Structure formats: structure tokens, C-alpha cells
Amino acid sequence: MTYCLGLALNEGLVMAADSRTNAGVDYVTTFSKLHVFQPAPDRIFLLMSAGNLATTQEVLNRIRRDLDQPRYEGMVADASWDRSRIDLLNARYLFEAADYVGRVSVGVQRDHAPALHESGVSVETTLILGGQIAGQPHGLYLIYPQGNYFAASPQTPYLQIGETKYGKPALDRIAEPGLSLENGARLCVVSLDATSRSNVTVGPPFEVAIYAADSLTLSHRLKLSADSPALRVLSRSWNEGIRSVFDHLPRFDWEQMGEAPSETVPT
């Protein structure tokens, strides 16, 4: 399993992922799940994945092939515009890039589905695409295995894929568009750490990418291993903070009055 999440903030984007792809008593493998594409100076894309590793790797290979071998040039918006001609190099809007990545993913799954389905293996992969094209706002999209997608919004400024449930409570309480990029990065690490504590299939190294709006370049890219001092300090501080808040929660009425709670004996 895996866990990836992205924050769409007023100041920009924060995207984070674990690196574990398999886990067992004696078998653990790691692969990077956060990929950066900058095919031209006026655009940057960040892509994260959860699902079949082979499908993901072929999706990435096809994207890179299309960038190495530009298929269409001089595209204009007219009646003959064809969405099948869009790729990361010539997309004019971020949703067009999301549509392109979705079509590539569907194509890879379609090519391999018959053989793998007979073996009971899922070929599906779910993706999160973030980035910006000059002149357009930055944004964040979740792309389903079926190729359709939706964008993060001010009401829901975060997107998750993979093992989402354990890291969600902190996001629900803290994530909001006005969060700073630095606090967003800390929140992402807290969410990853909480997930890894409850699910052995998610684990470090954790990767975090910070993108400041309109910069068209990454501000920071972090890789936090299990023994990273930054990760250990942040994790310890979060745990101690939660314990402290718990210890200071309001007391029940009977505790404040020093009385024992009344009991009702069933008849």
C-alpha cells in the first residue's frame, strides 16, 4: 500500500508521499512516488501515484517519451482542436494536463488488463497531479483509474490517495487555504507519520515537495528517512503535544465535584 497527499494553499502547493511499496516480516521495498516534470520554463508538474507499481512506471515512461518526442507543435484553439493531441508540453490549462495523464493511465491499464485480470491482479493506479502553467492559477487534481478527475477546492484544500484514513483527522482539523507552505509541509509530515504508526504498509523515507505559487520552480524538496533528526523531532513533538492536550481536557462534572459517578443497575 502507499499514502500520498497534496495541499492546495493560497501560497502554493505542498505534496508528500511515503516510499514503501511492499511490506512483510522479511520483505520491504521502497520506490519514489513523487515525480517532478518541467518540460518548459513556463510550466511545472508534480505527480504522485498509488496502486499497481508496474502500471505507474509505464505511465511515467509514456509521459517521458511524449516529452522526448514532441508530437504536435503550433496548436491553436479552434474548431479542429483535438484533446488527443494534448500532452504536458503543450497543455494550456492544468485541467488539460490532468486529462492527458488520465488518458495515458487508462491506455496502460487497457493494454495489460486482460492478462493480469486472469491472475487476479489489479492494474489500477490512482494519481495526484499538481502544478502550474504560466498565466494560470496553480492547482491540484486527483485522477481516478478510469481517467476522470476532480480538483481540490477552498472547501477541500487537500487530496489523498492510498491508505488515507489514518492521516485524515489532522488534515480535517488543520488544513485550510490560508495555511503557510511551511506549516503545510509540517502538516503533511504529521499525516504521514500518523499513518505509518497505524499501518505497516506505509513508511519512510517520506518525500515532501514545496511549490510557491507563480515561481515555476520547487522551493524545497525533502527526503526524510526513518532516522532523520527532523522527522524524529517533529514526530515526538506532535505526540507529546497530543498527550498534553489530552491530559488537560475538561473534566466530567462528577470529577470536578469529587463525587463518584452514579450507576444504574439494570433490572
Side-chain angles (χ1 to χ4, degrees):
M1 201 55 174
T2 189
Y3 178 41
C4 305
L5 70 154
L7 296 177
L9 308 175
N10 296 338
E11 293 184 4
L13 304 172
V14 180
M15 300 179 70
D18 83 314
S19 300
R20 185 164 293 175
T21 58
N22 225 323
V25 175
D26 58 359
Y27 184 61
V28 175
T29 57
T30 60
F31 287 89
S32 176
K33 302 164 192 174
L34 197 164
H35 310 276
V36 181
F37 296 91
Q38 190 155 24
D42 70 335
R43 59 195 59 212
I44 186 170
F45 305 100
L46 297 91
L47 187 65
M48 300 187 297
S49 60
N52 186 287
L53 180 60
T55 298
T56 299
Q57 290 189 344
E58 187 166 347
V59 168
L60 294 170
N61 287 337
R62 292 191 184 188
I63 291 173
R64 295 186 182 107
R65 177 201 61 192
D66 291 345
L67 293 176
D68 289 340
Q69 302 173 1
R71 298 168 297 164
Y72 305 97
E73 297 180 358
M75 292 182 58
V76 295
D78 58 23
S80 63
W81 180 81
D82 183 354
R83 67 192 282 262
S84 67
R85 297 187 175 191
I86 295 292
D87 57 28
L88 295 186
L89 187 59
N90 56 35
R92 295 163 296 177
Y93 304 93
L94 194 57
F95 80 85
E96 292 181 344
D99 182 80
Y100 160 74
V101 172
R103 286 186 287 108
V104 171
S105 178
V106 169
V108 171
Q109 293 175 70
R110 184 184 299 119
D111 289 347
H112 298 287
L116 291 180
H117 280 171
E118 291 180 3
S119 304
V121 176
S122 172
V123 298
E124 291 189 348
T125 187
T126 308
L127 304 157
I128 292 179
L129 176 72
Q132 187 172 22
I133 298 171
Q136 301 296 326
H138 62 283
L140 194 66
Y141 285 82
L142 190 149
I143 306 171
Y144 289 110
Q146 295 76 19
N148 55 331
Y149 51 87
F150 71 91
S153 68
Q155 293 73 34
T156 307
Y158 69 85
L159 299 177
Q160 301 171 284
I161 55 176
E163 188 58 69
T164 61
K165 56 183 175 292
Y166 299 110
K168 191 172 185 293
L171 299 175
D172 285 337
R173 287 177 168 84
I174 300 173
E176 52 92 13
L179 207 64
S180 71
L181 291 175
E182 292 77 14
N183 279 339
R186 278 184 280 271
L187 177 58
C188 285
V189 176
V190 163
S191 184
L192 284 163
D193 181 62
T195 303
S196 68
R197 283 176 171 268
S198 299
N199 191 318
V200 71
T201 67
V202 174
F206 297 145
E207 293 186 86
V208 182
I210 301 174
Y211 171 73
D214 301 321
S215 66
L216 299 177
T217 187
L218 287 185
S219 303
H220 300 281
R221 185 167 184 175
L222 313 176
K223 188 171 185 178
L224 304 174
S225 62
D227 59 356
S228 165
L231 176 58
R232 294 166 73 175
V233 169
L234 192 151
S235 177
R236 183 174 64 250
S237 298
W238 177 258
N239 292 332
E240 291 175 353
I242 291 176
R243 287 178 179 272
S244 176
V245 170
F246 179 80
D247 289 341
H248 291 85
L249 286 176
R251 297 318 189 206
F252 295 110
D253 290 344
W254 67 79
E255 293 177 289
Q256 296 175 357
M257 295 184 296
E259 299 177 358
S262 59
E263 295 184 0
T264 301
V265 179
T267 56

